[in-house]
């Protein structure tokens, strides 16, 4: 990627493209510590007319995953196809907690809670600029439209990792690593 992320004084990240006739601006910002939809969200200006690919998830549990996914999104918007190489390591997930259905490539994760069962489904789908992974959840009564499900991811590993982190945070309130940007 020829542009690079800049950290702002508010611990958010931003990147600009001024090389095209219609410049765009993308940012990733931390959410309030009590928010249970994700620890990071993102937005953009000036990109709508360029994208033939579904936009990635609005909320992220991990800054690393948000950067990975948005860099891939920007690559696909600018080049019309998936990136041949990844600029960041792939997020880790617990492969033993997912059930893979070879017939359609879907991954399922089931968890029992005091309120009943929770089922997460991560399904591959084709898009104009390459495969995407759509994650959806059933069985959490407190989910609403604002939680932004189904969520779209551009890497399978990102979808599986983010769903594991989301469930730990939403169901168990397990604190994840600090969301603050470390000063160098």
């Amino acid at each position: 990627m020829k542009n690079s992320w800049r950290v702002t004084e508010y611990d958010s990240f931003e990147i600009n493209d001024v090389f095209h006739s219609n410049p765009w601006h993308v940012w990733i910002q931390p959410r309030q510590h009590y928010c249970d939809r994700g620890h990071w969200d993102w937005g953009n200006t000036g990109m709508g007319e360029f994208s033939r690919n579904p936009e990635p998830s609005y909320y992220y549990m991990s800054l690393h995953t948000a950067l990975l996914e948005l860099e891939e999104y920007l690559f696909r918007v600018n080049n019309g196809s998936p990136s041949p190489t990844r600029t960041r390591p792939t997020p880790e997930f617990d492969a033993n907690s997912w059930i893979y259905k070879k017939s359609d490539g879907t991954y399922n994760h089931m968890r029992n809670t005091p309120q009943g069962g929770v089922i997460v489904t991560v399904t591959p789908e084709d898009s104009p600029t390459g495969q995407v992974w759509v994650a959806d959840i059933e069985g959490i009564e407190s989910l609403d439209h604002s939680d932004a499900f189904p969520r779209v991811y551009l890497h399978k590993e990102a979808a599986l990792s983010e769903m594991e982190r989301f469930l730990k945070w939403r169901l168990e309130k397990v604190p994840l690593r600090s969301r603050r940007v470390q000063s160098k």
Side-chain angles (χ1 to χ4, degrees):
M1 197 166 181
K2 62 183 168 185
N3 299 333
S4 60
W5 294 98
R6 183 179 76 82
V7 181
T8 71
E9 66 269 22
Y10 304 107
D11 287 342
S12 63
F13 288 70
E14 60 183 26
I15 190 168
N16 298 292
D17 179 11
V18 295
F19 302 108
H20 292 92
S21 58
N22 294 324
W24 48 258
H25 174 81
V26 175
W27 65 90
I28 302 171
Q29 62 191 6
R31 293 177 48 80
Q32 296 296 323
H33 67 88
Y34 54 79
C35 293
D36 60 2
R37 294 181 179 128
H39 296 315
W40 298 87
D41 63 18
W42 75 282
N44 74 74
T45 57
M47 290 192 66
E49 63 271 14
F50 295 115
S51 181
R52 298 175 301 142
N53 202 66
E55 287 190 344
S57 174
Y58 179 67
Y59 299 114
Y60 290 96
M61 299 304 293
S62 159
L63 174 60
H64 170 82
T65 304
L67 291 168
L68 172 79
E69 288 287 288
L70 291 172
E71 287 170 2
E72 176 67 18
Y73 176 66
L74 295 173
F75 186 90
R76 289 183 185 199
V77 165
N78 286 322
N79 298 289
S81 63
S83 173
T85 60
R86 292 185 179 158
T87 57
R88 298 179 183 280
T90 303
E92 294 183 11
F93 62 94
D94 179 6
N96 295 323
S97 70
W98 292 91
I99 299 169
Y100 175 68
K101 285 177 49 182
K102 194 172 189 176
S103 61
D104 62 1
T106 298
Y107 286 81
N108 293 300
H109 176 85
M110 289 159 255
R111 183 176 296 187
N112 290 321
T113 68
Q115 294 78 31
V118 173
I119 300 171
V120 179
T121 304
V122 176
T123 307
E125 291 187 10
D126 291 328
S127 79
T129 58
Q131 191 172 58
V132 297
W133 296 83
V134 179
D136 210 351
I137 294 182
E138 295 178 29
I140 300 178
E141 289 183 23
S142 61
L143 287 182
D144 59 25
H145 177 70
S146 297
D147 288 291
F149 280 97
R151 294 182 179 181
V152 174
Y153 297 92
L154 305 178
H155 297 96
K156 172 187 69 178
E157 299 86 356
L160 300 176
S161 173
E162 282 288 303
M163 290 300 94
E164 288 176 0
R165 289 169 161 268
F166 177 81
L167 289 176
K168 283 183 182 183
W169 175 247
R170 189 70 178 252
L171 298 177
E172 303 167 25
K173 298 299 184 212
V174 173
L176 303 171
R177 286 188 231 170
S178 170
R179 296 177 300 162
R180 300 276 309 165
V181 176
Q182 300 298 319
S183 300
K184 291 185 178 184

